[in-house]
Amino acid sequence: MIEKYNPMEIEAKWQKRWAESEIYHVDDNNPAPKWYALTMFPYTSGDLHIGHWYAMAPSDVYARFKRMQGYNVLHPIGFDAFGLPAENAAIKRGIYPKDWTMSNIENMRRQLKSLGAIYDWDREVITCLPEYYKWTQWFFLKLWQAGLAYRAKAPVNWCPNCQAVLANEQVVNGECWRCETPVIRRDLEQWFFRITKYADELMQHEGLDWPERIKMMQSNWVGRSEGTEISFALDYPDVEEKEIRIFTTRPDTVFGVTFMVLAPEHPLVQKLTTNERKAEVDKYIDKTRHCSEIERLSTERKKDGVFTGAYAINRLNGERVPIWIADYVLLSYGTGAVMAVPAHDERDFAFASKYQLPVKVVVAPPQWDGWLLQEAYVEPGVIVNSEKFNGIESRAAKTAISEYIEQQNWGKRVVSYKLRDWLVSRQRYWGAPIPAIYCDKCGIVPVPEKDLPVLLPDDAEFKPTGESPLKYNQSFVNTTCPCCGGVARRETDTMDTFMCSSWYFIRYTSPHFVQGAFDSELVKKWMPTDIYTGGAEHAVMHLFYSRFFVKALRDMGLVNFSEPFQRLFNQGTVTHDHQKMSKSKGNVVNPDKYVSELGADTVRAYLMFIGPWEQGGDWDDSGIYGLSRWLGRIWNLVLETYEESCYGVEGATASKELLRLTHQTIRRVTEDMDRLRFNTMISTLMEYSNYLGKVHETGSVQTVDYNEAICILLRLLAPTAPHFAEEVWSRLGCDYSIHNQRWPMWDSALAQDDEIPLVVQVNGKVRDKLMVPVNVTEAEAKKLALGSPKVQVFTTDKALLQVIYVPGKLVNLVVK
RNA sequence: GCCGAAGUGGCGGAAUGGCAGACGCGCUACGUUCAGGGCGUAGUACUCGAAAGGGUAUGAGAGUUCAAAUCUCUCCUUCGGCACCA
């Protein structure tokens, strides 16, 4: 009687053995071709939930597969450890963010180890430790030196609850993405990175194996649009500016302008507003300040605005048009001013209708005879009411009018982007301090590289005050100027955590390097990553920032590649009760319970089996026992045969079929692995093990072939159920370790079927299936099909019109 | 509102123009000296039929094709992303 499969015992045993023998240690000098399999590192929120396992387990399976294929695989792990949750949790529990974070890491590390992954823990990176953030600060200085960092006063999103500035990306439906408090706006002096410099390049994804969906989202995020900047004349004796510049993608409609709209924050508004309109304009501006940008951009809201009392001149036709303000025009996009053409823009039409502003048609709808428009006409057409441009087709008029404007020096063709520069300042404690010093004499001075890291004091009061908590930490703030040696103050803002995660994949290549952020030779060896897997929620921000970092490094001559992530794959989300898992909803599924009951191998296999990886799904554990039983069946099958020591029959005849199925299985499993189709990969292994069970029972194959098949099954199973495979492998008396074995190769000739089922259809309906030799000729196949009695029932007394033959698949008889 | 993805048994899903429902869960029956979420065998879309066998079926409707879950169009539903972008 063999022992039962006891996952708890064997998993602990092998995890210990693997660690002691350093089997997963990654050797930079290994001459095998490299494979960098990167998984998005987890945020240190406390516990890993089943969704983390959904991200980590399949990516480990894939990395193990590549490792068995002979690659020198780097599959590292680390922790994204700075950020607001640590601070909030710390405030709530009265412990330091660092203590909270590090104890979370300890727990998560334990959970991750229970997964049985090939992580080389010697390469672990933790972004909140000085040996890491020293280099995050160094990146800040490098970007500054390269002219990519600057300070600007800008309206920012302000969460009154978190007492912190939020990036636009962190505002969800006008609310703070973490605490859901409505966000208000406030002006602060901030650090920005000039990511817009790379706008065009960031839209390019040439040569990258990425999902179309993500590429599209990134391109939309950049939001490139070609248009024309046009100057409208101002004639106000007391106003210094003599023009308003607007951006439009419809220069063909410039003769149809009947009013203009400025963003309420536009600097000209204060100068232009007439005395009698001032009260109303100021009231409107105040109202705008209380709206978040998200609210302003909501389509649900009715458009409204206020007349400033001022007018501008459309230089093209000399017409005088009123200047309005409205909150749907944003200062941050284009020039913060728009020309309004109600006849040919839906939004302008709605606005004009509300305030009874004129509508002037300049692009004629088909058969237009001067009727009043009921809605904006936005399609192309023939230009009218536009003086010398009349009669031109509107698309051609875009060029013609733009050229004319350029000749007259009234404007120029420009490219505009939705993308904005990256705001990196955070008025928070738990982040990497920004390495800048303010000196009354020398101005803003970078911290010299030799003085890095600027250490985050452990003892700071991090209570929210509306300003950086570091401001009140005298020993941190007070310093001397690196230029003049005089009294100076440190920058008290910290960096956006996206800074930390924009280069962690580079640090993994040389995590202990002390002379710099990374060892160039090792970066050259490992980067770019061959595959990057993670949630689609990082489609834009994180991936965008990382790409920006790499491009900036390249332009500084520090790396020799342009893109960090060659292949990108987004796994789906695991929900629970059809909702995203979150602590606040109380629907978090902890994998520990399943691991301690059924073992990590079963949990790994189940997560991969529930469906295509990119699809995710709702967590339902009702099927998990099926996977546990499957492993148990293989256990019994393999070890029973071992005990019996004789399991085949010499001279048995079915070995050829077994061999064929074996090679078909290797092929299917390998192909599914490469496509990351783990659900069908496991089905294939199940079919194979079921077949071996049958073969074992009937004793229909030769011992040597059966033996070989079992070894192949275990190797194909090793990435999915690493502990299980290792244990069975060792019980069979094979050498440690199965994970150092080579992935089986298939032989196409051996995988080839002798006979195939030929489907015979009559008028597209299946009427018979015939087993025919694989190399059957078209003539033979047709003859066999016509000869089938089952088919003849449907063909007698009918005229045969056509015979379709699909080689190796079917014959379709078309009769009438 | 726009963009994208998806909709297949009781359930998760398989099949990417060529046998619909692989594999697994659940369920049913039988067997097993079966204490246990054990093991084994058979069955399990709907429908007509005693059976052989037939018909119907991949959200709904049309179309293309010898052939459609798969391609096209319209509509419905769900999920994800974007947010007046001038």
Side-chain angles (χ1 to χ4, degrees):
Chain A
M1 191 64 189
I2 55 158
E3 290 166 56
K4 278 183 75 173
Y5 166 44
N6 181 343
M8 273 52 69
E9 214 169 87
I10 66 175
E11 288 181 3
K13 177 174 96 186
W14 289 112
Q15 280 167 18
K16 190 158 170 268
R17 176 86 187 270
W18 293 335
E20 283 166 3
S21 64
E22 297 187 348
I23 182 175
Y24 302 130
H25 171 73
V26 181
D27 181 1
D28 292 317
N29 299 316
N30 183 331
K34 69 93 183 180
W35 187 270
Y36 189 172
L38 181 67
T39 295
M40 290 179 189
F41 65 168
Y43 183 74
T44 51
S45 52
D47 280 311
L48 290 180
H49 57 66
I50 202 77
H52 288 105
W53 273 61
Y54 195 66
M56 307 296 177
S59 60
D60 179 61
V61 171
Y62 187 66
R64 284 177 172 278
F65 161 69
K66 281 292 168 191
R67 194 173 174 279
M68 288 180 80
Q69 280 193 323
Y71 289 93
N72 183 24
V73 173
L74 174 59
H75 182 50
I77 191 73
F79 297 96
D80 187 14
F82 272 137
L84 194 56
E87 233 168 293
N88 288 342
I91 290 163
K92 214 162 133 191
R93 297 160 198 224
I95 52 172
Y96 286 111
K98 184 172 183 180
D99 296 340
W100 182 82
T101 303
M102 293 313 284
S103 81
N104 283 346
I105 287 176
E106 211 168 298
N107 182 47
M108 292 169 80
R109 207 187 269 135
R110 173 191 62 76
Q111 289 182 297
L112 283 166
K113 285 186 174 172
S114 77
L115 172 68
I118 60 168
Y119 303 132
D120 179 355
W121 285 97
D122 191 40
R123 287 183 186 250
E124 176 195 65
V125 302
I126 298 174
T127 60
C128 69
L129 298 182
E131 63 251 39
Y132 185 88
Y133 72 70
K134 169 180 182 177
W135 302 113
T136 307
Q137 292 171 337
W138 176 84
F139 272 101
F140 186 97
L141 296 177
K142 284 316 234 191
L143 291 168
W144 191 355
Q145 274 167 29
L148 292 168
Y150 65 94
R151 275 166 70 77
K153 200 159 196 170
V156 296
N157 304 303
W158 178 256
C159 173
N161 180 46
C162 301
Q163 292 283 297
V165 174
L166 302 174
N168 288 326
E169 298 82 9
Q170 296 172 314
V171 181
V172 180
N173 295 326
E175 294 169 345
C176 174
W177 70 340
R178 293 213 191 266
C179 68
E180 295 176 9
T181 304
V183 169
I184 60 170
R185 284 150 48 78
R186 197 173 150 175
D187 279 337
L188 286 174
E189 192 83 6
Q190 315 273 335
W191 284 97
F192 287 87
F193 285 146
R194 220 178 284 283
I195 191 169
T196 48
K197 191 184 163 194
Y198 291 91
D200 279 318
E201 207 189 336
L202 287 166
M203 280 179 73
Q204 301 294 321
H205 300 92
E206 250 161 78
L208 295 184
D209 183 3
W210 283 30
E212 281 307 316
R213 204 174 86 241
I214 303 296
K215 293 197 252 182
M216 201 183 299
M217 280 167 72
Q218 291 207 342
S219 296
N220 290 343
W221 189 263
V222 173
R224 179 192 161 96
S225 56
E226 291 179 14
T228 308
E229 209 172 276
I230 305 174
S231 162
F232 281 65
L234 286 175
D235 186 16
Y236 291 90
D238 301 335
V239 179
E240 184 188 339
E241 291 87 350
K242 295 300 166 208
E243 61 171 6
I244 297 179
R245 301 191 76 84
I246 61 95
F247 173 76
T248 182
T249 53
R250 293 293 307 272
D252 52 318
T253 64
V254 67
F255 286 86
V257 173
T258 57
F259 61 103
M260 304 189 67
V261 187
L262 302 185
E265 313 80 336
H266 197 289
L268 273 172
V269 172
Q270 294 302 327
K271 300 181 184 175
L272 289 175
T273 303
T274 57
N275 285 335
E276 54 271 28
R277 301 294 307 159
K278 198 172 184 338
E280 207 177 332
V281 166
D282 284 348
K283 201 173 129 200
Y284 189 82
I285 291 171
D286 189 57
K287 185 183 134 207
T288 305
R289 287 215 165 270
H290 284 90
C291 286
S292 72
E293 201 159 273
I294 300 294
E295 278 176 306
R296 286 172 63 174
L297 297 178
S298 164
T299 39
E300 306 301 313
R301 265 172 93 243
K302 284 218 172 107
K303 290 152 192 50
D304 61 7
V306 178
F307 177 45
T308 60
Y311 292 84
I313 307 292
N314 184 350
R315 298 187 204 261
L316 282 102
N317 57 12
E319 278 177 21
R320 192 164 171 265
V321 293
I323 302 169
W324 288 61
I325 61 169
D327 64 8
Y328 70 83
V329 176
L330 302 178
L331 190 60
S332 54
Y333 184 76
T335 58
V338 235
M339 66 177 207
V341 185
H344 307 295
D345 182 284
E346 285 166 23
R347 196 190 38 231
D348 295 343
F349 190 91
F351 198 87
S353 305
K354 180 166 178 175
Y355 296 106
Q356 280 103 48
L357 293 157
V359 176
K360 181 182 170 193
V361 175
V362 290
V363 179
Q367 281 96 43
W368 186 66
D369 61 1
W371 71 65
L372 287 179
L373 296 184
Q374 296 306 303
E375 56 181 3
Y377 177 73
V378 297
E379 303 298 316
V382 174
I383 298 292
V384 295
N385 292 327
S386 301
E387 302 178 8
K388 65 179 188 168
F389 298 99
N390 287 344
I392 304 178
E393 207 275 336
S394 59
R395 278 166 296 198
K398 275 190 189 182
T399 312
I401 293 180
S402 294
E403 277 171 1
Y404 178 67
I405 287 170
E406 283 176 346
Q407 279 163 21
Q408 299 298 317
N409 222 7
W410 293 338
K412 57 179 191 232
R413 275 171 284 191
V414 294
V415 176
S416 192
Y417 300 93
K418 275 202 266 186
L419 182 72
R420 299 178 204 170
D421 280 335
W422 176 11
L423 170 66
V424 292
S425 299
R426 294 292 180 270
Q427 292 67 38
R428 294 179 197 158
Y429 164 71
W430 194 233
I434 292 174
I437 289 170
Y438 299 90
C439 169
D440 288 337
K441 255 192 260 169
C442 311
I444 306 172
V445 184
V447 172
E449 277 183 36
K450 67 173 172 54
D451 293 343
L452 295 182
V454 176
L455 279 176
L456 188 64
D458 284 340
D459 58 349
E461 268 299 320
F462 50 85
K463 276 189 221 133
T465 58
E467 289 182 284
S468 172
L470 292 175
K471 248 186 187 143
Y472 302 97
N473 192 295
Q474 293 309 312
S475 60
F476 178 83
V477 174
N478 296 326
T479 186
T480 50
C481 173
C483 290
C484 67
V487 173
R489 302 173 316 282
R490 282 191 192 282
E491 165 72 62
T492 54
D493 284 355
T494 54
M495 292 182 229
D496 181 7
T497 54
F498 278 113
M499 275 292 284
C500 310
S501 57
S502 292
W503 73 282
Y504 76 105
F505 45 88
I506 295 176
R507 187 65 183 173
Y508 279 143
T509 64
S510 44
H512 307 296
F513 194 63
V514 290
Q515 295 95 329
F518 52 87
D519 180 332
S520 300
E521 283 309 303
L522 292 174
V523 169
K524 205 177 280 176
K525 176 193 167 79
W526 290 108
M527 289 296 295
T529 66
D530 296 277
I531 186 164
Y532 192 21
T533 61
E537 70 270 21
H538 292 299
V540 184
M541 294 174 287
H542 162 61
L543 291 174
F544 229 74
Y545 297 145
S546 300
R547 293 178 67 212
F548 163 68
F549 255 56
V550 164
K551 289 172 196 303
L553 285 178
R554 177 204 57 199
D555 290 348
M556 294 171 205
L558 295 171
V559 300
N560 63 346
F561 55 96
S562 294
E563 290 287 347
F565 315 122
Q566 178 51 39
R567 182 179 179 190
L568 177 73
F569 188 90
N570 295 112
Q571 82 269 356
T573 314
V574 178
T575 54
H576 190 215
D577 301 328
H578 301 282
Q579 284 189 308
K580 252 188 139 160
M581 279 183 227
S582 79
K583 279 188 182 162
S584 55
K585 288 191 189 114
N587 65 343
V588 175
V589 178
N590 191 320
D592 291 2
K593 158 184 161 201
Y594 297 101
V595 173
S596 61
E597 194 186 335
L598 300 164
D601 287 339
T602 292
V603 180
R604 291 166 65 106
Y606 181 60
L607 284 169
M608 289 188 292
F609 185 65
I610 52 176
W613 197 24
E614 67 269 28
Q615 220 165 80
D618 198 50
W619 175 254
D620 173 6
D621 64 12
S622 62
I624 197 169
Y625 298 98
L627 276 293
S628 172
R629 284 200 292 260
W630 174 55
L631 290 180
R633 272 200 302 277
I634 298 177
W635 176 275
N636 293 336
L637 176 69
V638 176
L639 298 178
E640 263 172 32
T641 55
Y642 179 64
E643 293 227 325
E644 287 164 13
S645 77
C646 176
Y647 24 83
V649 174
E650 297 309 323
T653 52
S655 288
K656 194 173 175 200
E657 190 184 276
L658 172 63
L659 201 60
R660 180 165 51 228
L661 190 71
T662 299
H663 284 264
Q664 287 176 350
T665 300
I666 297 169
R667 183 174 61 199
R668 284 169 63 190
V669 168
T670 306
E671 285 171 357
D672 279 346
M673 281 282 196
D674 272 321
R675 292 187 306 147
L676 307 172
R677 292 296 294 254
F678 301 116
N679 56 331
T680 48
M681 182 271 286
I682 291 180
S683 312
T684 303
L685 286 177
M686 284 174 170
E687 285 178 67
Y688 189 56
S689 69
N690 289 347
Y691 181 82
L692 289 178
K694 216 164 277 171
V695 155
H696 171 239
E697 206 168 309
T698 56
S700 54
V701 300
Q702 297 189 33
T703 304
V704 61
D705 295 325
Y706 181 81
N707 229 348
E708 177 63 16
I710 290 290
C711 286
I712 286 173
L713 172 67
L714 290 177
R715 280 186 284 158
L716 294 177
L717 187 60
T720 301
H723 315 85
F724 176 93
E726 188 81 283
E727 175 71 18
V728 175
W729 187 256
S730 105
R731 284 182 183 233
L732 288 181
C734 301
D735 289 342
Y736 178 78
S737 149
I738 191 169
H739 302 297
N740 289 336
Q741 301 300 311
R742 278 324 261 297
W743 186 254
M745 310 269 267
W746 77 89
D747 180 331
S748 301
L750 293 174
Q752 182 68 253
D753 284 306
D754 294 339
E755 286 197 312
I756 46 131
L758 182 75
V759 174
V760 186
Q761 299 180 328
V762 178
N763 290 342
K765 284 203 164 106
V766 179
R767 297 304 180 183
D768 201 4
K769 286 169 211 172
L770 306 167
M771 288 311 293
V772 300
V774 69
N775 54 355
V776 69
T777 63
E778 178 166 355
E780 282 165 351
K782 286 180 178 174
K783 198 175 145 204
L784 284 166
L786 287 164
S788 158
K790 285 185 188 171
V791 167
Q792 282 168 352
V793 174
F794 297 92
T795 54
T796 42
D797 305 330
K798 302 224 170 107
L800 186 64
L801 301 179
Q802 202 183 349
V803 181
I804 309 280
Y805 176 64
V806 182
K809 277 186 181 158
L810 66 76
V811 175
N812 187 14
L813 308 172
V814 186
V815 298
K816 199 179 173 186

